[in-house]
Amino acid sequence: MKQFMCLDVGGTKIRGALFGDENIEPIRQQKIPTQNQGQKVEDRICGLIREIWPVNSNVDAIAIAAPGFVDSDKGVVIRAVNIPGWEFLPLQKILQDKFNTPVIIGNDARLAALGEWKYGAAIGHHDVIYLTISTGIGGGVIIKDRVLMGSRGMATELGHITILPDGPLCSCGQKGHLEAISSGPAIAQFVQEEIKNGKKSSVSALKNFSSKEIAQAAFEGDELCQLAYKRAGSFLGMALVNLLHTFNPTCVVLGGGVSFTGDLLLEPMQKEIEKSILSKEYLGNLTFSTAKLGENAGLIGGLVLITVNNL
Amino acid sequence: MKQFMCLDVGGTKIRGALFGDENIEPIRQQKIPTQNQGQKVEDRICGLIREIWPVNSNVDAIAIAAPGFVDSDKGVVIRAVNIPGWEFLPLQKILQDKFNTPVIIGNDARLAALGEWKYGAAIGHHDVIYLTISTGIGGGVIIKDRVLMGSRGMATELGHITILPDGPLCSCGQKGHLEAISSGPAIAQFVQEEIKNGKKSSVSALKNFSSKEIAQAAFEGDELCQLAYKRAGSFLGMALVNLLHTFNPTCVVLGGGVSFTGDLLLEPMQKEIEKSILSKEYLGNLTFSTAKLGENAGLIGGLVLITVNNL
């Protein structure tokens, strides 16, 4: 039996799992905090790999899901916004040298897309768009059963698509990206600014509030909070229309915490899509679905990436 | 020797050519006006096919490049803005029944992309974005040597991507699409409206002016005309940045009359790209090129489509 190891490196946690062949139930799994004072994140990754390494047997390949811009061809993390110091980090080489087994790295959202396509919400579809909407917005696209990587593995940065020129500032430093309008922090930012501008909202009584508290207040009838989700959902719909015109898929999968607020976000999204689509033909064979693999999507996507590449 | 027939159906002309095997020099070619009173366009297509049909031999396949939304899988032209009456036209079936040979239809810009990739400006590249900027804006994308068609062959409608929410009206009826800002008629529309708003321009002395006269006036120093191209070029750059973040290609090919105005459009485009790109890594291996196949791009693309599909 072949054994594969997959890791998903997030801003706060690193999750690791050992898989046997193509079975998506891990033989063993563990998670640790990403940061620990005085330690490099890449050293913590190595530590976690050692901890779940099988006794008396080998690992046939390692896949790493990493946040931010990942050059899969060169095996380099170009920039990871949530992990300070990760700039042009040759993660593939570091791990290959240490563990003497093939290593493959990929953007976490692209790997999650692969996972949802093979084992989750998009089983049986050949052309899929996956968007994860949480602290950031990431994306992955499957075209005729292959994940779109781009010439350097930097394709489908779908959170960083300009949807409102000169709009709000994005985490990447540019303006008006989808992530700067429809992500969790962007929703909170919008409400904060409207409150500063004199708008009333029940959340203004809270010391801190995030998109979660805003969702709760919106469910309870708070108009500003409802507007915040309506705005985020409409722009999300506009971005999706652009993606439907670009990819003409049969399945759209939405993952990430913000998408689980349901109709609050999805109703204005659907309205915008119906209003702005070029032709109903784009919608005739299209399914919308929420992600099914939960927090394991990146790990399972890593497993798919390994088997697709025959490592 | 196999023989293939390719047609490119435009708003004003239908071009037809007979090719031998994979030789891009046509054995025979001809063009006729698209419209003739009292005649259906599809009947004119049949007439042209008959005229260039080889004597005493067969045609192994026919490819048709058609404008507008084309469902290549079903062989149906869903809508062609420039050809009144073409709505849900089963062009593939009509021609197959008549000529008893395999027929394949595709959007003209996507076929031009295929042509430029195999025989034109993008030879040797595996990941290519092609944009044609003239009366409309069309697009085609090559990913790992395959043209992106989408689930129903309706992908890469890249002119109909919202780039300025609530912006100018597009030919398709939606607002703020790239085509409504950076196409030839959109550039002329912008100048007309600015003149109406009291701006001065040398072209206001002309009875009619198009993007061509505006380009000429811009070269001669007319400020409003320069601004019109700067605006079109900047938004084109913004759209291209979105496409680079989406596809991460190694080659961008620009075709169509408007792109041949050169620096007037391309300088503001380049500036916007350099300003708005997420990481220089997207530009490191990227080549910009103007289209090389001229008005034969669609025909040659049809030939490529036939050979790719082994018809």
Side-chain angles (χ1 to χ4, degrees):
Chain A
M1 185 184 74
K2 283 195 172 189
Q3 291 191 101
F4 304 116
M5 194 172 305
C6 301
L7 279 85
D8 190 346
V9 184
T12 56
K13 274 176 193 139
I14 307 171
R15 308 163 51 78
L18 183 70
F19 293 98
D21 268 336
E22 287 191 47
N23 188 339
I24 65 167
E25 285 303 319
I27 298 171
R28 190 178 312 170
Q29 64 178 322
Q30 200 171 322
K31 61 182 167 185
I32 58 170
T34 305
Q35 304 286 351
N36 190 29
Q37 229 179 1
Q39 248 189 326
K40 281 185 184 172
V41 173
E42 50 271 39
D43 291 339
R44 293 185 61 71
I45 289 174
C46 292
L48 180 58
I49 291 175
R50 272 186 218 103
E51 275 188 55
I52 52 178
W53 197 271
V55 186
N56 295 328
S57 74
N58 207 3
V59 165
D60 295 273
I62 299 173
I64 311 280
F69 311 137
V70 177
D71 185 336
S72 295
D73 270 15
K74 289 192 186 159
V76 170
V77 179
I78 291 170
R79 187 153 42 113
V81 177
N82 295 326
I83 305 179
W86 273 28
E87 290 208 8
F88 295 95
L89 180 83
L91 189 58
Q92 184 183 42
K93 190 177 180 322
I94 291 172
L95 299 179
Q96 263 173 196
D97 289 353
K98 209 150 240 162
F99 297 99
N100 198 28
T101 190
V103 173
I104 191 158
I105 68 173
N107 169 278
D108 48 8
R110 276 199 294 279
L111 293 197
L114 263 179
E116 292 289 346
W117 160 72
K118 187 81 184 274
Y119 296 109
I123 290 177
H125 288 273
H126 310 295
D127 299 281
V128 180
I129 292 171
Y130 168 84
L131 274 185
T132 170
I133 307 160
S134 57
T135 313
I137 293 185
V141 174
I142 307 291
I143 299 167
K144 306 270 172 255
D145 297 330
R146 288 166 158 204
V147 65
L148 172 54
M149 298 291 266
S151 65
R152 284 192 168 166
M154 287 160 58
T156 61
E157 282 294 346
L158 304 183
H160 301 283
I161 297 294
T162 302
I163 192 74
L164 183 62
D166 290 321
L169 195 66
C170 187
S171 66
C172 70
Q174 297 288 341
K175 279 180 176 179
H177 286 173
L178 178 62
E179 178 168 311
I181 298 178
S182 302
S183 67
I187 292 170
Q189 177 90 12
F190 175 78
V191 171
Q192 272 166 8
E193 281 175 14
E194 290 297 289
I195 288 173
K196 260 190 218 159
N197 293 336
K199 294 270 170 62
K200 297 236 147 61
S201 167
S202 59
V203 296
S204 62
L206 303 173
K207 227 177 182 175
N208 290 304
F209 57 85
S210 73
S211 56
K212 272 188 195 166
E213 286 77 33
I214 294 169
Q216 187 55 39
F219 279 124
E220 290 163 4
D222 186 290
E223 283 182 19
L224 177 59
C225 293
Q226 286 172 346
L227 176 68
Y229 270 93
K230 195 178 162 192
R231 179 173 176 271
S234 296
F235 277 102
L236 175 61
M238 198 185 286
L240 275 170
V241 166
N242 285 350
L243 292 171
L244 297 180
H245 294 170
T246 302
F247 291 108
N248 182 206
T250 61
C251 186
V252 170
V253 179
L254 298 176
V258 177
S259 68
F260 295 125
T261 49
D263 283 351
L264 216 51
L265 188 81
L266 304 183
E267 239 183 59
M269 178 196 87
Q270 282 287 1
K271 257 192 195 159
E272 180 63 39
I273 290 173
E274 277 159 33
K275 194 187 96 185
S276 299
I277 199 80
L278 273 174
S279 158
K280 298 281 175 224
E281 294 291 303
Y282 282 94
L283 306 179
N285 64 346
L286 185 66
T287 305
F288 281 85
S289 178
T290 46
K292 293 221 171 11
L293 300 180
E295 50 183 8
N296 277 340
L299 293 176
I300 294 173
L303 183 65
V304 178
L305 190 66
I306 286 173
T307 53
V308 160
N309 281 279
N310 288 319
L311 294 185
Chain B
M1 184 183 75
K2 283 196 171 188
Q3 290 190 103
F4 305 115
M5 194 172 304
C6 301
L7 278 86
D8 190 347
V9 184
T12 55
K13 274 177 192 136
I14 306 171
R15 307 163 51 78
L18 182 70
F19 294 98
D21 269 336
E22 286 191 50
N23 188 339
I24 65 167
E25 285 303 321
I27 297 170
R28 190 180 312 169
Q29 65 178 320
Q30 202 172 318
K31 61 183 166 186
I32 59 171
T34 305
Q35 305 286 350
N36 190 30
Q37 230 177 1
Q39 247 189 327
K40 281 185 184 172
V41 174
E42 49 271 38
D43 291 339
R44 293 185 61 70
I45 289 174
C46 291
L48 181 57
I49 291 175
R50 273 188 216 101
E51 275 189 55
I52 51 179
W53 198 270
V55 187
N56 295 329
S57 74
N58 206 3
V59 166
D60 295 89
I62 299 174
I64 312 280
F69 310 137
V70 178
D71 185 336
S72 295
D73 269 15
K74 290 193 186 159
V76 170
V77 180
I78 292 171
R79 186 152 44 113
V81 178
N82 296 326
I83 304 179
W86 273 28
E87 291 210 8
F88 295 96
L89 181 83
L91 188 58
Q92 184 183 42
K93 190 178 180 323
I94 291 172
L95 299 178
Q96 262 174 198
D97 288 353
K98 209 151 239 160
F99 296 100
N100 199 25
T101 189
V103 173
I104 192 159
I105 69 173
N107 168 278
D108 48 7
R110 277 199 293 277
L111 293 197
L114 263 179
E116 292 289 347
W117 160 72
K118 188 82 184 273
Y119 295 110
I123 290 176
H125 288 273
H126 310 294
D127 299 281
V128 180
I129 291 171
Y130 168 84
L131 274 185
T132 170
I133 306 160
S134 57
T135 313
I137 294 185
V141 174
I142 308 291
I143 299 167
K144 307 270 173 260
D145 297 330
R146 290 165 158 204
V147 66
L148 172 54
M149 298 291 264
S151 65
R152 286 192 167 167
M154 288 160 57
T156 61
E157 282 295 344
L158 304 183
H160 301 283
I161 296 294
T162 303
I163 192 74
L164 184 61
D166 290 319
L169 195 67
C170 187
S171 66
C172 70
Q174 298 288 340
K175 280 181 174 177
H177 285 172
L178 178 62
E179 178 168 310
I181 298 178
S182 302
S183 67
I187 292 170
Q189 176 89 11
F190 174 78
V191 171
Q192 273 165 7
E193 281 175 13
E194 289 296 289
I195 289 173
K196 261 191 217 159
N197 293 337
K199 295 268 170 64
K200 297 235 147 60
S201 167
S202 59
V203 295
S204 61
L206 302 173
K207 227 180 182 173
N208 290 305
F209 57 84
S210 71
S211 56
K212 272 188 194 165
E213 286 78 30
I214 294 169
Q216 187 55 38
F219 279 124
E220 288 162 5
D222 186 289
E223 282 181 22
L224 177 59
C225 293
Q226 287 172 345
L227 176 68
Y229 270 93
K230 195 179 162 191
R231 179 173 176 272
S234 295
F235 277 101
L236 174 62
M238 199 185 286
L240 276 170
V241 166
N242 285 351
L243 292 171
L244 298 179
H245 293 170
T246 302
F247 291 108
N248 181 209
T250 61
C251 186
V252 170
V253 179
L254 297 176
V258 177
S259 70
F260 296 125
T261 48
D263 284 351
L264 215 49
L265 188 80
L266 304 183
E267 240 183 57
M269 178 196 86
Q270 283 287 359
K271 256 192 195 160
E272 180 62 40
I273 291 173
E274 277 159 33
K275 194 186 96 184
S276 300
I277 199 81
L278 273 174
S279 157
K280 297 281 175 226
E281 294 291 304
Y282 283 94
L283 306 178
N285 64 344
L286 185 66
T287 305
F288 282 85
S289 177
T290 46
K292 294 221 169 15
L293 301 180
E295 50 183 11
N296 277 340
L299 293 176
I300 294 172
L303 183 65
V304 177
L305 190 65
I306 287 172
T307 52
V308 161
N309 281 280
N310 289 316
L311 293 186

